[in-house]
Amino acid sequence: MKNILYRIIKMFRHWWYQDVASTMFDSRSNLSYVVKYSGNAKASDCLPMLIALHGDGDSANNFYEAALDQFKVPARIILFEAPILHECGRVWPYSPAQYEEHGQAFCEAVDQLAIKYATVNKPVLLGFSGGGAMAYYQAVKHGDSYSYIFPISGLLLNEQLGRGTFKSNAKVYAYHGKSDEVVPFSAAKKAVKILKKHKVCVSFTAFESGHQGMFSNMKAEITQTVEEKLDKLLRYE
């Protein structure tokens, strides 16, 4: 009897704190996402929004379980699936042409979500690896749509930015492992240099482990820092 009751409660909590996966369609890109809630928040609450981008080849739900499952501050967490289908799974843009196709569309999708859901202030953006690259890109090209941006183990190249305007009002907290075997540490330093060139306010934290550091030795520190920013938004709603 207790086991049955436990299962019922677990199923209710899963339904209450998570929206059904949704799909947003854009003329240039289709983007799907999953919504989850932290800190006992409810779907009807006015909350800070955390946009989370998984690494290339991963999925939104896997990324949540590995990186974002310890959040205690009330927040609405929007986990996007990468828009490009690749042999390794779904991936984020890399070439200038891919960024031109998907970069603006992604920003517009985020703007729509901040209107669709009752949101405190501007969203916070966090991305890992390929998602971290998109986070860097958004910081330079569309920074005025975000309050804080956290690129983790990502990269950014000048040619990926293309032409057009640069809007860089968000505060950026970048993280990268010194022993990263996938995205070299030097790539992160170049990305930070590009951000500073475009007058982006950026803080860079180097850590001792490799590419997967945000899931192990850096998980608690990154979680704490992101939670501090979400809590700040919540307190100043």
Side-chain angles (χ1 to χ4, degrees):
M1 184 67 180
K2 288 183 177 179
N3 288 337
I4 295 174
L5 182 61
Y6 173 76
R7 290 175 183 174
I8 292 173
I9 293 172
K10 187 175 181 181
M11 288 174 64
F12 175 79
R13 284 179 59 84
H14 178 79
W15 170 80
W16 187 255
Y17 293 114
Q18 176 179 326
D19 282 0
V20 177
S22 302
T23 302
M24 298 187 68
F25 291 100
D26 182 89
S27 59
R28 294 153 294 179
S29 175
N30 91 75
L31 292 164
S32 62
Y33 63 90
V34 175
V35 185
K36 295 181 181 286
Y37 294 90
S38 59
N40 295 324
K42 300 187 294 295
S44 59
D45 293 341
C46 186
L47 298 163
M49 178 179 286
L50 173 62
I51 306 292
L53 313 181
H54 62 77
D56 289 341
D58 198 5
S59 70
N61 281 311
N62 284 342
F63 186 55
Y64 175 80
E65 295 294 337
L68 307 174
D69 61 332
Q70 295 181 1
F71 279 69
K72 295 179 175 61
V73 171
R76 181 175 288 106
I77 304 174
I78 309 285
L79 298 113
F80 274 96
E81 296 282 359
I84 301 169
L85 190 59
H86 187 268
E87 61 184 12
C88 71
R90 303 204 72 88
V91 301
W92 296 97
Y94 182 79
S95 70
Q98 289 173 336
Y99 271 107
E100 183 176 357
E101 179 180 359
H102 297 286
Q104 177 69 31
F106 176 81
C107 179
E108 290 173 358
V110 171
D111 289 343
Q112 291 175 36
L113 286 170
I115 296 171
K116 176 179 178 180
Y117 295 100
T119 303
V120 174
N121 213 304
K122 296 180 180 180
V124 175
L125 174 62
L126 179 149
F128 167 70
S129 193
M134 175 61 92
Y136 273 127
Y137 177 90
Q138 292 292 315
V140 177
K141 295 286 285 188
H142 307 290
D144 58 344
S145 288
Y146 308 92
S147 53
Y148 303 98
I149 298 178
F150 291 83
I152 303 166
S153 303
L155 57 76
L156 180 67
L157 306 175
N158 276 309
E159 53 266 32
Q160 292 171 333
L161 295 174
R163 299 178 180 178
T165 58
F166 298 88
K167 302 175 181 180
S168 53
N169 294 330
K171 295 181 180 178
V172 178
Y173 294 83
Y175 293 81
H176 209 102
K178 294 180 181 178
S179 303
D180 195 320
E181 68 285 359
V182 178
V183 181
F185 184 68
S186 59
K189 293 200 293 185
K190 290 178 181 177
V192 171
K193 186 176 180 180
I194 292 172
L195 263 64
K196 290 181 176 179
K197 173 185 174 183
H198 291 286
K199 310 300 181 183
V200 178
C201 180
V202 55
S203 171
F204 180 63
T205 299
F207 53 88
E208 295 301 325
S209 57
H211 193 66
Q212 302 288 328
M214 83 161 293
F215 306 113
S216 54
N217 63 306
M218 288 300 294
K219 183 174 181 178
E221 180 177 330
I222 292 172
T223 297
Q224 180 181 352
T225 305
V226 177
E227 282 195 314
E228 287 174 356
K229 304 309 177 188
L230 291 170
D231 186 57
K232 183 177 179 180
L233 295 176
L234 191 61
R235 287 186 287 109
Y236 288 98
E237 73 175 289

